[in-house]
Structure formats: C-alpha cells, structure tokens
Amino acid sequence: MSEPARPLTQGPMARLLAAVEAVAAALEDEAEAIVAGQPEQLLQAVSAKAKCLRDLETLARDPRVAALMRSDDDDVQRLIERLRDCEQRNLATGSAIVMARRDNEVLLRAIGHQPEPAAYTPRGAAPAAAMARTLGKA
C-alpha cells in the first residue's frame, strides 16, 4: 500500500524549507558581522553558513526532494525564488569581503608592508611564485 501524499509543509519539503531559511539566516549573520567589523563573529557566521549549505546539499540529493523541485507548485516556485535571493546575498557578501581585503592590502602597502604572496588562488591552485619560494640556505 502506498503512502498518502503529504502537503509540501511536511516531510522532505518541510526540511528543505527549513534548510533554506537556515542558509538565509546565516547569510544575514554574515552580513551583520561585516557591517559591524567583527572578525570573530564573521568567522562564526561563515562556519555556520558552510554547515547550513552542507545540510541543504544533503537534502537536495534526496530523490523525493528532486521530484518535488521539478513541480510547478507555488510553494516550490517560492522556494526557488528564496534560493535565488540567498545566492544573490552570498555573492554580494563575498564581494564585500573581497573589497575589504583589497582595501586592507592598499593600506598596508601605504605604510610599507609588503603582503606575503597567497599560498593559493581563489580557485585553490598554488601560484607559481608560491611554489618557487626559497625556504632557506644550507
């Protein structure tokens, strides 16, 4: 006997909605930390966001969720719109972090500090200069 259909506010869709709202809340915390200039709070928010995104990705792999996401239901369409909003907020927050880092680098150079070369690029590759560094002389 098959299980009766559940409304979208129950089961996998309810968990998916909660996961998306958790991501949205983490993004809000991240933005607040940036505005307040609180690096410790920012690190906590980034960590919380990463956990929320992992949870969301796990839910998205559920075949029942994948089937729901292909429907034209109004709740699903609102969820997709909320996901797009989260994506835009994440991009804006990331841009703000990059701009702040660049501002810091400019200020440090202005006072004579040469920043150390990055160990990795934003895409995770090691720059050639980092690999060719002399660590010491014998």
Side-chain angles (χ1 to χ4, degrees), residues 9-20:
T9 56
Q10 295 179 355
M13 187 54 131
R15 289 191 301 276
L16 187 60
L17 288 167
V20 170

Side-chain angles (χ1 to χ4, degrees), residues 2-138:
S2 67
E3 188 176 313
R6 293 182 181 182
L8 292 177
T9 56
Q10 295 179 355
M13 187 54 131
R15 289 191 301 276
L16 187 60
L17 288 167
V20 170
E21 289 308 316
V23 169
L27 288 166
E28 183 66 31
D29 291 346
E30 189 177 51
E32 288 174 5
I34 291 169
V35 169
Q38 297 292 324
E40 294 84 16
Q41 184 182 344
L42 177 60
L43 290 174
Q44 290 172 353
V46 168
S47 178
K49 179 181 75 171
K51 182 196 178 306
C52 291
L53 288 170
R54 283 191 306 271
D55 293 346
L56 182 60
E57 289 170 354
T58 299
L59 284 170
R61 286 191 287 269
D62 183 331
R64 296 171 296 175
V65 170
L68 285 171
M69 294 303 289
R70 288 189 296 270
S71 78
D72 289 335
D73 185 88
D74 288 343
D75 286 341
V76 172
Q77 296 310 311
R78 281 192 293 275
L79 175 68
I80 290 169
E81 191 58 38
R82 185 71 166 141
L83 284 167
R84 286 185 184 129
D85 290 344
C86 286
E87 178 184 32
Q88 291 303 311
R89 176 169 277 186
N90 193 47
L91 290 171
T93 302
S95 294
I97 290 170
V98 167
M99 288 174 24
R101 190 191 95 241
R102 287 181 184 157
D103 288 347
N104 284 338
E105 288 173 356
V106 167
L107 293 171
L108 287 170
R109 275 197 286 284
I111 63 170
H113 182 273
Q114 291 297 324
E116 294 185 23
Y120 296 97
T121 67
R123 296 184 186 262
M131 293 158 77
R133 219 177 330 185
T134 301
L135 298 176
K137 294 185 179 189

